[in-house]
Amino acid sequence: GDTVLSYNFESKILFKTAILEMVETDHSNLVDLYFSHDTITSTTDHPYFLHRKGWSSFDPNVTVINYKNYDDVKMIEINDDFMIYDGTKVKLLSFLKINRLSKTFTITKLAEENSFFVNGVLVGVEEIPTKHVRYLEKKTLDWELLGRVGKNSKIDWTFGS
């Protein structure tokens, strides 16, 4: 099956893990995040792991409500340090909230752990409470569409393979 690079917070080890569930749905709460190395487009409630803040999003209250695996989420701000796969940090230079309906894909379950890397940046799995799953259409991976998370993306979902 398809794999992503994940991170174990206790052992501080990177490893590949299998994607067990993924959903496709339409969202209009999008945001472009601008970094020196890339641009990532995600929903405003998508969790990112930040240095000195932990799990954070542009809409922390909605993140806590929508996903059962987060109970303390901070607000993302310009100049926050995002964790990247090589153990270093990258600063958020700016962001732009976008109000357009767009098809999105999100990983809702991994074989191990609760995080993975998108364009090198550590993000969280969005575990959707069972009561919400009926509203989403489960989809198999479409790498071409999933790869469009950033305008100049170079995504290495299987790190090193």
Side-chain angles (χ1 to χ4, degrees):
D2 293 306
T3 61
V4 290
L5 182 65
S6 187
Y7 180 72
N8 181 299
F9 287 91
E10 289 180 20
S11 67
K12 299 184 185 210
I13 292 176
L14 298 172
F15 63 96
K16 287 189 218 178
T17 187
I19 298 169
L20 299 181
E21 291 179 14
M22 184 165 191
V23 294
E24 170 188 356
T25 190
D26 292 324
H27 281 103
S28 59
N29 60 323
L30 302 175
V31 61
D32 281 341
L33 292 83
Y34 300 102
F35 301 98
S36 59
H37 78 291
D38 206 348
T39 299
I40 297 175
T41 302
S42 72
T43 56
T44 55
D45 63 345
H46 196 92
Y48 290 82
F49 193 81
L50 276 56
H51 181 68
R52 293 200 173 109
K53 278 191 174 180
W55 292 112
S56 305
S57 78
F58 287 96
D59 201 342
N61 293 331
V62 174
T63 304
V64 170
I65 291 167
N66 282 350
Y67 311 116
K68 67 182 184 178
N69 50 326
Y70 303 97
D71 56 7
D72 182 24
V73 179
K74 306 290 190 270
M75 176 68 77
I76 294 175
E77 301 170 300
I78 292 175
N79 290 322
D80 276 344
D81 289 320
F82 285 62
M83 302 304 295
I84 57 176
Y85 75 92
D86 64 2
T88 61
K89 302 173 287 254
V90 62
K91 280 198 185 304
L92 178 65
L93 302 175
S94 65
F95 64 89
L96 177 65
K97 291 189 178 179
I98 304 163
N99 189 12
R100 73 168 183 266
L101 192 62
S102 185
K103 189 170 297 301
T104 61
F105 298 85
T106 192
I107 295 170
T108 56
K109 189 171 185 183
L110 296 173
E112 297 176 72
E113 292 302 326
N114 224 3
S115 64
F116 60 101
F117 291 87
V118 172
N119 300 27
V121 175
L122 187 58
V123 303
V125 168
E126 295 178 337
E127 284 188 45
I128 301 167
T130 307
K131 64 182 179 178
H132 293 156
V133 173
R134 68 176 185 257
Y135 299 111
L136 301 173
E137 177 187 347
K138 287 193 177 181
K139 253 330 223 190
T140 57
L141 293 177
D142 182 333
W143 291 112
E144 181 183 352
L145 289 173
L146 188 61
R148 291 184 187 156
V149 294
K151 293 175 186 158
N152 304 311
S153 301
K154 291 179 184 152
I155 299 174
D156 183 358
W157 291 98
T158 54
F159 189 72
S161 66

